């Protein structure tokens, strides 16, 4: 059974009350900040959503039936998927204030662990995370390219400069990640507020030219389109879904701002601005027709405002890309703590714990994004790949939501079932429509998602098998403590032996007695336990058991969003009244060399993949912030 596992210890499942990380600061200030981080993705969708619906891979006739039908479909999708599903319901499923697929999975797992179908739910949650990485690669490419293509709209002769400019901007964006974005992020909210105000005004200006377009908000226009032209209507869903891309970001970024600011931003600013802009684009298409199809978004602007709009949209696209990159860092940190990804070097770029930088992820994303730009060359080609990652993740969220509704919240069936049916039918329709675009680029996120899913599940399963193999034949620590205290010379100081499991004696401790024939005055077997909650209170962090004769077992608990700084956690801890002094403490680590075998568990190729991942994982010394000159590593071989 696949379960989220902690690293290097076992995850303890505990219940905690809800707190919100975004509770600091006033509501208007947090709402402004949310606009700069949460809504960049969905906010830049008007750049390409309407254009690709009518001029993309499955083109619609440019007549009033289809224009009004698409606007109706987009509006009600935003109302049902974003406003009702995510903002009103899923955002209530916070894990101590944190959101996102992994946080939701950790929350759900507290209630379903051990149930017959729990492994399937966990695998779905992991696959949703895998699709998120695909989304993280596609969003920067499609957003920045969609904005910079305005050059070719206003100056067709500059078409050849679009791809080089996009690549330069994206490389610059990834290069600044190591320096942190705390100072720049202060401008994100105001820039996006100006952006939403501008696109709303442009929309209103166009609506005034054809006020009847407001009627398109009625759901009967969407129904009429599907009745009159069912096949084209179905295929159009593959592009219309672009209007709700970024919906999951509202949930994933909840920990930074809290529910109320995100809801306020969405309902008061973002949703009205998007609706007005889409209505304005619809008005333009009805009035002007085919000449506006090159970019209904950019052609909304009067001639004198075209270049300022290009600059503002480009800034918004860069902000959207930055938010996704930062999200990839946060999700990776969660996945490492929950045991789905090997340890990686995590650097903190500011005093704010949320500001992190993971070099491996940064450079891998940069290479993937640049390759996508060079291969697809136009944002309209990339949007074919975009939809599958988004709709796949939204579809999986329905299954996790079902567990929340029935198992955790225990909603009445008469209320929960109709909601789930509506959400599932709509998401399934969008996913099915996007699957038709697999030959046009939809294969990209599927291949990426499957590859990342294989890595994540291989690491989780491999860790479980390795711990089981190491546990075979181990001596219970209680027995060891009684017999070992007089079998070796005792020396001054404290020795902490890091252990991946709570049972048995670490191999490093056995090797130390065998080869060095000494024991320290105080011998501590330390396990790190990552909890299914983002942050722990200090009073919940340490568990200590004294076995007498200077032998102790200790567990240090961390939330899955916390820095695993072991020396900091040990401050103030005493052993029989003696404080742990880092200058008189040695840390002993076991370094395992994996040997692939034919033992049941995983296929040989996955065992070799797991061994490769182990070799390339960051050292425990760096990951746990252990003092360099106080660490001793002792090796052993493990067969799985």
């Amino acid at each position: 059974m696949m379960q989220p596992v902690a690293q290097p210890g076992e995850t303890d499942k505990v219940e905690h009350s809800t707190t919100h990380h975004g509770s600091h600061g006033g509501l208007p200030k947090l709402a402004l900040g949310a606009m700069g981080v949460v809504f960049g993705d969905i906010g830049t969708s008007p750049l390409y959503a309407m254009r690709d619906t009518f001029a993309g891979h499955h083109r619609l006739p440019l007549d009033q039936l289809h224009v009004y039908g698409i606007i109706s479909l987009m509006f009600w999708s935003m109302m049902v998927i974003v406003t009702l599903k995510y903002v009103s319901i899923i955002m209530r499923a916070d894990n101590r204030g944190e959101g996102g697929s992994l946080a939701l999975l950790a929350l759900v797992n507290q209630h379903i662990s051990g149930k017959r179908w729990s492994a399937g739910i966990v695998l779905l949650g992991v696959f949703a995370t895998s699709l998120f990485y695909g989304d993280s690669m596609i969003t920067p490419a499609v957003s920045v390219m969609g904005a910079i293509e305005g050059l070719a709209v206003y100056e067709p002769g500059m078409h050849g400069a679009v791809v080089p400019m996009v690549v330069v901007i994206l490389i610059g964006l990834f290069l600044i990640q190591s320096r942190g974005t705390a100072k720049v992020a202060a401008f994100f909210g105001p820039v996006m507020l100006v952006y939403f105000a501008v696109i709303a005004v442009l929309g209103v200006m166009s609506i005034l030219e054809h006020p009847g377009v407001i009627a398109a908000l009625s759901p009967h226009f969407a129904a009429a389109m599907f009745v009159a032209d069912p096949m084209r209507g179905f295929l159009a869903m593959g592009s219309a879904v672009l209007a709700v891309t970024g919906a999951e970001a509202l949930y994933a970024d909840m920990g930074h701002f809290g529910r109320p600011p995100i809801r306020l931003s969405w309902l008061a600013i973002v949703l009205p601005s998007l609706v007005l802009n889409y209505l304005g684009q619809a008005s333009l298409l009805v009035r002007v027709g085919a000449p506006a199809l090159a970019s209904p978004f950019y052609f909304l602007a009067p001639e004198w405002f075209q270049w300022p709009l290009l600059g503002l949209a480009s800034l918004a696209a860069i902000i959207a890309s930055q938010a996704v990159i930062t999200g990839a860092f946060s999700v990776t940190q969660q996945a490492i703590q929950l045991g789905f990804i090997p340890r990686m070097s995590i650097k903190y770029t500011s005093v704010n714990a949320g500001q992190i930088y993971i070099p491996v992820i940064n450079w891998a994303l940069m290479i993937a994004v640049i390759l996508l730009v060079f291969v697809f060359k136009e944002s309209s080609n990339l949007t074919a790949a975009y939809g599958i990652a988004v709709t796949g993740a939204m579809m999986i969220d329905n299954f996790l939501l079902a567990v929340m509704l029935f198992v955790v919240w225990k909603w009445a069936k008469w209320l929960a079932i109709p909601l789930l049916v509506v959400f599932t039918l709509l998401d399934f329709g969008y996913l099915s429509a996007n699957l038709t675009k697999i030959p046009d680029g939809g294969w990209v996120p599927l291949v990426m998602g499957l590859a990342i899913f294989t890595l994540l599940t291989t690491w989780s399963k491999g860790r479980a098998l390795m711990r089981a193999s190491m546990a075979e034949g181990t001596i219970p620590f209680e027995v060891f403590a009684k017999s070992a205290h007089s079998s070796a010379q005792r020396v001054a100081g404290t020795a902490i032996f890091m252990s991946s499991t709570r049972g048995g004696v670490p191999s490093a401790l056995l090797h130390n007695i065998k080869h060095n024939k000494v024991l320290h005055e105080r011998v501590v077997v330390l396990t790190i336990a990552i909890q299914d909650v983002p942050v722990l209170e200090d009073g919940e962090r340490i568990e200590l058991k004294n076995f007498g004769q200077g032998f102790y077992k200790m567990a240090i608990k961390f939330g899955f969003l916390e820095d695993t700084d072991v020396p900091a956690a040990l401050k103030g801890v005493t052993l029989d009244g003696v404080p742990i002094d880092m200058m008189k403490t040695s840390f002993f680590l076991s370094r395992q060399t994996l040997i692939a075998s034919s033992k049941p568990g995983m296929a040989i190729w996955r065992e070799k993949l797991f061994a490769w991942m182990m070799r390339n994982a960051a050292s425990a010394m760096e990951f746990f912030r252990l003092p360099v000159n106080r660490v001793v590593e002792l090796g052993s071989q493990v067969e799985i």
Side-chain angles (χ1 to χ4, degrees):
M1 178 182 295
M2 185 71 62
Q3 296 285 354
V5 291
Q7 188 175 275
E10 295 175 336
T11 302
D12 297 321
K13 308 295 185 291
V14 291
E15 298 282 350
H16 293 285
S17 61
T18 299
T19 62
H20 294 288
H21 298 214
S23 58
H24 58 281
L27 182 60
K29 182 180 178 180
L30 288 170
L32 181 64
M35 269 186 280
V37 175
V38 178
F39 298 104
D41 191 353
I42 197 169
T44 52
S45 294
L47 287 165
Y48 43 77
M50 283 290 284
R51 180 200 66 194
D52 285 3
T53 303
F54 289 94
H57 292 85
H58 302 297
R59 301 187 177 193
L60 282 180
L62 195 56
D63 54 34
Q64 183 168 309
L65 170 70
H66 291 89
V67 172
Y68 280 27
I70 289 299
I71 289 296
S72 178
L73 178 61
M74 287 180 170
F75 173 71
W76 286 103
S77 294
M78 285 191 285
M79 294 304 294
V80 174
I81 294 177
V82 184
T83 307
L84 180 58
K85 178 181 171 182
Y86 281 96
V87 174
S88 300
I89 299 179
I90 289 189
M91 283 180 63
R92 296 180 60 198
D94 64 283
N95 192 334
R96 275 200 171 183
E98 294 296 328
S101 294
L102 276 180
L104 178 58
L105 178 61
L107 179 63
V108 164
N109 197 61
Q110 297 174 19
H111 299 272
I112 66 170
S113 182
K115 293 186 183 292
R116 186 178 53 196
W117 40 269
S118 61
I121 292 293
V122 171
L123 289 175
L124 283 174
V126 174
F127 191 62
T129 303
S130 304
L131 290 174
F132 172 82
Y133 281 106
D135 187 16
S136 300
M137 299 172 194
I138 297 171
T139 295
V142 74
S143 297
V144 175
M145 191 175 292
I148 301 301
E149 282 172 346
L151 280 173
V153 174
Y154 296 146
E155 291 289 344
M158 298 187 69
H159 185 272
V162 171
V163 169
M165 287 189 65
V166 170
V167 170
V168 169
I169 290 172
L170 288 171
I171 290 176
L173 182 62
F174 283 101
L175 286 177
I176 68 170
Q177 297 304 312
S178 61
R179 300 180 183 179
T181 58
K183 293 181 180 178
V184 181
F187 297 98
F188 286 2
V191 169
M192 291 305 295
L193 179 60
V194 172
Y195 169 79
F196 285 121
V198 166
I199 67 171
V201 170
L202 291 176
V204 170
M205 291 170 59
S206 180
I207 292 170
L208 292 176
E209 297 288 327
H210 181 65
V213 75
I214 297 175
L217 298 182
S218 170
H220 92 270
F221 282 102
M225 179 183 69
F226 281 106
V227 170
D229 198 353
M231 181 51 67
R232 281 200 179 114
F234 168 72
L235 294 175
M237 293 182 74
S239 298
V241 73
L242 296 173
V244 295
T245 56
E248 198 179 42
L250 279 69
Y251 178 49
D253 289 316
M254 183 170 59
H256 296 291
F257 303 99
R259 287 195 297 263
I262 292 176
R263 286 173 173 167
L264 176 62
S265 296
W266 171 251
L267 295 173
I269 304 294
V270 181
L271 176 61
S273 299
L274 292 176
V275 172
L276 289 172
N277 191 263
Y278 283 125
L279 284 172
Q281 292 188 42
S283 170
L284 180 69
L285 291 175
V286 170
R287 290 182 287 109
V288 177
L293 268 184
S295 180
F297 176 83
Y298 280 117
F299 281 134
L300 284 177
E303 188 173 347
W304 62 269
F305 193 66
Q306 289 178 346
W307 293 104
L309 178 61
L310 174 62
L312 184 60
S314 299
L315 277 176
I318 292 170
I319 290 171
S321 303
Q322 175 62 55
V324 171
I325 295 168
T326 303
F329 293 157
S330 299
V331 168
T332 300
Q333 183 188 33
Q334 293 182 29
I336 291 171
Q337 302 289 53
L338 292 173
F340 290 113
I341 292 180
R343 290 187 298 262
M344 294 181 183
S345 174
I346 299 177
K347 303 183 184 299
Y348 291 81
T349 58
S350 79
V351 293
N352 178 6
Q355 292 284 329
I356 62 174
Y357 167 68
I358 305 179
V360 172
I361 298 299
N362 188 65
W363 303 126
L365 278 180
M366 187 185 79
I367 292 170
V369 170
I370 300 304
L371 285 175
L372 287 172
V373 171
F374 279 126
V375 170
F376 287 92
K377 294 184 173 58
E378 294 181 0
S379 62
S380 59
N381 294 329
L382 267 169
T383 54
Y386 199 18
I388 289 182
V390 174
T391 54
M394 291 194 302
M395 189 69 182
I396 291 172
D397 283 344
N398 289 330
F399 293 98
L400 297 176
L401 176 60
V403 177
M404 290 299 301
L405 293 180
F406 292 120
V407 179
V408 183
W409 295 335
K410 302 186 185 304
W411 279 28
K413 291 183 179 179
W414 65 265
L415 178 59
I417 291 176
L419 282 173
L420 288 171
V421 169
V422 171
F423 296 154
T424 303
L425 286 176
L426 192 54
D427 288 339
F428 181 75
Y430 276 129
L431 178 60
S432 301
N434 274 279
L435 290 176
T436 65
K437 298 192 292 185
I438 287 179
D440 299 316
W443 56 271
V444 172
L446 290 178
V447 170
M448 290 177 176
L450 287 172
I452 295 170
F453 178 76
T454 300
L455 291 174
L456 268 59
T457 53
T458 295
W459 180 256
S460 178
K461 181 68 172 177
R463 289 286 302 175
L465 290 173
M466 190 172 74
R467 288 199 306 274
S469 179
M470 292 170 61
E472 292 177 1
T474 57
I475 306 170
F477 188 72
E478 295 83 348
V479 176
F480 174 84
K482 291 177 181 178
S483 60
H485 72 92
S486 59
S487 62
Q489 182 178 346
R490 306 298 287 260
V491 295
T494 301
I496 296 180
F497 293 85
M498 304 288 286
S499 175
S500 61
T501 60
R502 293 201 175 191
V505 181
S507 60
L509 178 51
L510 296 175
H511 284 303
N512 184 54
I513 290 182
K514 179 179 179 181
H515 297 289
N516 298 326
K517 297 179 173 57
V518 296
L519 282 171
H520 287 71
E521 282 180 301
R522 292 168 294 277
V523 177
V524 181
V525 174
L526 175 61
T527 303
I528 306 300
I530 306 300
Q531 308 298 285
D532 279 347
V533 293
V535 179
L536 282 177
E537 302 296 333
D538 286 339
E540 304 170 327
R541 196 168 303 283
I542 303 292
E543 285 184 6
L544 181 64
K545 185 176 182 180
N546 188 347
F547 288 84
Q549 305 296 330
F551 289 94
Y552 307 86
K553 290 193 77 171
M554 182 188 298
I556 301 179
K557 301 176 182 179
F558 293 100
F560 60 73
L561 283 185
E562 292 186 286
D563 178 22
T564 48
D565 189 335
V566 169
L570 290 174
K571 286 183 180 179
V573 176
T574 60
L575 304 175
D576 280 339
V578 180
I580 296 179
D581 183 354
M582 284 297 116
M583 298 306 296
K584 298 179 181 178
T585 300
S586 298
F587 291 87
F588 289 81
L589 307 179
S590 301
R591 178 171 286 275
Q592 290 87 20
T593 300
L594 191 68
I595 302 175
S597 71
S598 57
K599 291 172 64 176
M602 287 196 301
I604 290 293
W605 68 268
R606 289 187 73 190
E607 291 182 359
K608 292 181 178 179
L609 175 62
F610 175 65
W612 173 81
M613 294 171 77
M614 278 197 64
R615 289 194 300 271
N616 289 278
S619 69
M621 179 178 66
E622 178 183 10
F623 189 76
F624 295 117
R625 307 292 182 91
L626 304 180
V628 177
N629 59 346
R630 309 301 305 172
V631 173
V632 179
E633 284 193 330
L634 298 173
S636 62
Q637 292 184 332
V638 179
E639 187 178 83
I640 65 170

